[in-house]
């Protein structure tokens, strides 16, 4: 994982002159979920085919969703061309492109991590290990696919200037304060400051996307400026807030959490003690995925209270206006964790061994595996599912995406 200082941290990029802000803006909001982020590309593929002239002016992302948002915001060309590039990235991915999975690296880091925590007895020893896996491959992959050897993302400025984009936001967690920090670049963007969450305008870099996707414990934190940041979903109590603050009137949120609404199975005999992989999977779901449903429910209730009316105050409009916002949340129709089980045998041997020691084979769910399975064949299956689910909800998507008749 790159820990290079970000020279643009805290600096506002040059203002871009623009006409009046477009009306009825659409935001695409990408949630987290590690390797599950490939599912979001299926919906993008549907949008690109059905709306080849579509320009979503607002893009927000957290964790793996930040990588998708950054890629779309930075790539040149039309919306379908940018989606094509993103799909090629996911389907060509290997675990080795994200973190090192060779035997020497994995077992050395595991040993040093245990020694650092003093698990071998005595005093803590050895060099500090930042994360259970070495994610320098992910940094190299992003620098390559984003055409950014120095870390800058000049394509964002170009797309802002050409009108394809108005703003993009990437959310991280500031480890020293525990604050959620959303980094924004765009036109007419006002910073916000709320309890435990704030926004900061900057020229976005590869480091911002890397930090947002830095899974706690597994991936090392990333340094931006003089501070360390990690996965933005850790303290993100309002996943839709960045899109709302940026002025969205319509939000298409893409979750990677399967929710069938059924009650847990009642067992006639005591269940086995949960495997570590099962506990970690529940934790990852709680941290990265569950809050989107709660935030969507809050937004829908606000819409009901407003009843289609816009309520203004005498304070700054961008911060204090209440407005109805159209929202559509799309989520998988199948459990991505169960799909991951089919592709587990294709993993590199050392990494597969480590996951099995954590109990991925014995656990009733494979949420941990589904988050870490950065394999092109698994990604292709998720993209197919995302596309099929989008087709199922085509009418709802049409209602949201199509601009109202003037």
């Amino acid at each position: 994982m790159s820990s290079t200082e970000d020279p643009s941290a805290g600096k506002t990029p040059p203002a871009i002159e623009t006409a009046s802000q477009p009306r009825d803006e659409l935001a695409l909001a990408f949630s987290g979920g590690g390797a599950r982020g490939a599912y979001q590309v299926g919906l993008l593929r549907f949008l690109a085919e059905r709306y080849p002239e579509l320009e979503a002016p607002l893009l927000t992302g957290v964790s793996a969703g930040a990588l998708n948002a950054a890629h779309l915001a930075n790539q040149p060309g039309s919306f379908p061309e940018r989606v094509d590039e993103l799909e090629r990235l996911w389907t060509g991915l290997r675990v080795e492109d994200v973190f090192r999975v060779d035997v020497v690296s994995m077992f050395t880091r595991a040993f040093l991590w245990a020694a650092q925590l003093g698990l071998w007895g005595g005093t803590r020893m050895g060099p500090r290990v930042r994360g259970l896996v070495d994610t320098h491959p992910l940094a190299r992959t992003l620098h390559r696919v984003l055409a950014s050897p120095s870390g800058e993302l000049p394509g964002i400025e170009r797309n802002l200037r050409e009108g394809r984009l108005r703003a993009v936001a990437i959310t991280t967690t500031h480890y020293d304060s525990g604050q959620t920090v959303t980094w924004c670049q765009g036109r007419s963007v006002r910073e916000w400051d709320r309890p435990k969450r704030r926004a900061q305008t900057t020229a976005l870099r590869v480091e911002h996307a890397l930090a947002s996707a830095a899974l706690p414990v597994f991936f090392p934190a990333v340094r931006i400026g003089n501070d360390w940041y990690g996965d933005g979903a850790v303290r993100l109590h309002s996943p839709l807030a960045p899109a709302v603050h940026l002025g969205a009137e319509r939000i298409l949120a893409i979750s990677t959490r399967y929710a069938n609404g059924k009650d847990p199975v009642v067992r006639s005999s005591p269940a086995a003690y949960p495997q570590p992989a099962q506990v970690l999977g529940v934790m990852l779901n709680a941290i990265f995925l569950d809050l989107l449903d709660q935030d969507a429910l809050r937004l829908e209730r606000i819409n009901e209270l407003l009843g289609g009316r816009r309520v203004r105050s005498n304070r700054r409009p961008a911060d204090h206006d209440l407005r109805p916002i159209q929202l559509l949340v799309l989520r998988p129709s199948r459990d991505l964790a169960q799909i991951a089980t089919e592709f587990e045998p294709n993993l590199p041997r050392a990494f597969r061994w480590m996951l099995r020691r954590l109990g991925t084979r014995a656990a009733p769910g494979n949420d941990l595996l589904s988050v870490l399975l950065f394999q092109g064949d698994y990604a292709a299956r998720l993209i197919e599912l995302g596309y099929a689910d989008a087709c199922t909800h085509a009418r709802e998507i049409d209602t949201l995406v199509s601009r109202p008749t003037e």
Side-chain angles (χ1 to χ4, degrees):
M1 184 69 69
S2 172
S3 60
T4 306
E5 287 193 20
D6 179 1
S8 69
K11 297 181 181 179
T12 304
I16 299 177
E17 295 298 328
T18 180
S20 59
Q21 181 174 315
R23 295 178 57 225
D24 198 31
E25 289 188 308
L26 172 67
L28 298 181
F30 301 103
S31 70
R36 299 180 188 183
Y39 173 83
Q40 299 169 344
V41 183
L43 175 106
L44 294 174
R45 163 59 51 210
F46 172 87
L47 292 177
E49 292 182 3
R50 197 172 184 90
Y51 305 98
E53 303 301 320
L54 176 69
E55 297 298 348
L58 302 174
L59 300 172
T60 71
V62 60
S63 194
L67 304 182
N68 288 336
H71 193 280
L72 285 178
N74 186 65
Q75 289 296 315
S78 64
F79 184 73
E81 289 171 337
R82 285 179 278 161
V83 172
D84 284 343
E85 287 295 327
L86 187 58
E87 184 172 354
R88 276 192 286 270
L89 167 62
W90 278 101
T91 55
L93 204 60
R94 304 172 304 160
V95 173
E96 296 92 326
D97 297 323
V98 180
F99 47 82
R100 289 184 60 183
V101 291
D102 58 281
V103 174
V104 173
S105 174
M106 295 193 65
F107 286 94
T108 299
R109 293 181 76 87
F111 176 83
L112 291 176
W113 183 277
Q116 180 177 306
L117 296 176
L119 298 183
W120 304 128
T123 59
R124 294 174 176 82
M125 53 179 278
R128 291 185 61 82
V129 178
R130 295 168 176 172
L132 284 176
V133 293
D134 181 348
T135 52
H136 280 92
L138 176 59
R140 290 193 293 269
T141 298
L142 289 183
H143 280 282
R144 173 175 55 82
V145 300
L146 296 174
S148 176
S150 65
E152 298 178 354
L153 300 177
I156 294 179
E157 186 75 12
R158 179 187 58 247
N159 286 328
L160 288 168
R161 190 182 309 110
E162 294 177 359
R164 295 191 183 97
L165 184 68
R166 187 173 71 76
V168 57
I170 291 175
T171 299
T172 62
T173 298
H174 183 232
Y175 277 135
D176 281 343
S177 66
Q179 270 195 326
T180 295
V181 180
T182 299
W183 305 87
C184 304
Q185 181 175 351
R187 304 190 305 249
S188 308
V189 174
R190 288 183 175 178
E191 296 179 353
W192 60 87
D193 194 347
R194 298 289 185 273
K196 282 298 179 181
R197 60 182 176 92
R198 62 183 175 87
Q200 186 167 336
T201 53
T202 189
L204 290 172
R205 296 172 57 86
V206 170
E207 286 80 6
H208 294 99
L210 283 170
S212 184
L215 292 167
V217 180
F218 287 96
F219 290 9
V222 177
R223 189 171 64 185
I224 300 176
N226 294 320
D227 297 310
W228 293 92
Y229 295 84
D231 198 299
V234 173
R235 292 291 297 270
L236 186 58
H237 298 303
S238 300
L240 300 174
V244 174
H245 282 293
L246 291 177
E249 301 285 347
R250 297 170 292 154
I251 301 175
L252 178 54
I254 315 172
S255 174
T256 60
R257 173 68 186 273
Y258 169 71
N260 60 4
K262 295 181 180 178
D263 294 328
V265 175
V266 177
R267 300 180 184 272
S268 57
S269 59
Y273 190 82
Q275 295 287 332
Q278 183 180 354
V279 175
L280 288 170
V282 171
M283 181 191 73
L284 292 173
N285 278 336
I287 292 176
F288 305 134
L289 304 174
D290 290 348
L291 291 174
L292 177 59
D293 294 332
Q294 299 173 24
D295 206 25
L297 180 60
R298 283 194 295 267
L299 192 149
E300 290 169 359
R301 286 177 175 172
I302 291 173
N303 282 341
E304 291 174 2
L305 289 172
L306 292 174
R309 296 177 294 110
R310 183 182 292 263
V311 178
R312 300 184 182 276
S313 75
N314 57 2
R315 300 181 183 180
R316 290 194 305 172
D319 287 341
H320 297 280
D321 272 11
L322 289 177
R323 64 189 186 280
I325 297 175
Q326 286 182 270
L327 172 67
L328 177 60
V329 179
L330 293 180
R331 54 177 55 83
S333 59
R334 289 189 58 196
D335 189 346
L336 304 190
Q338 294 301 320
I339 295 176
T341 305
E342 303 172 27
F343 298 92
E344 187 260 2
N346 300 335
L347 285 170
R349 181 176 299 177
F351 184 53
R352 186 173 69 241
W353 183 90
M354 184 193 76
L355 290 178
R356 289 181 179 180
R357 298 291 76 73
L358 291 173
T360 52
R361 282 214 155 182
N366 260 329
D367 291 299
L368 176 63
L369 177 64
S370 70
V371 169
L372 297 176
L373 191 61
F374 292 95
Q375 286 280 101
D377 49 3
Y378 174 59
R381 177 71 65 83
L382 299 194
I383 291 171
E384 291 175 5
L385 178 63
Y387 184 88
D389 288 345
C391 291
T392 301
H393 296 279
R395 182 172 298 180
E396 298 164 76
I397 296 173
D398 286 341
T399 300
L400 181 79
V401 173
S402 300
R403 286 186 174 275
T405 304
E406 299 292 341

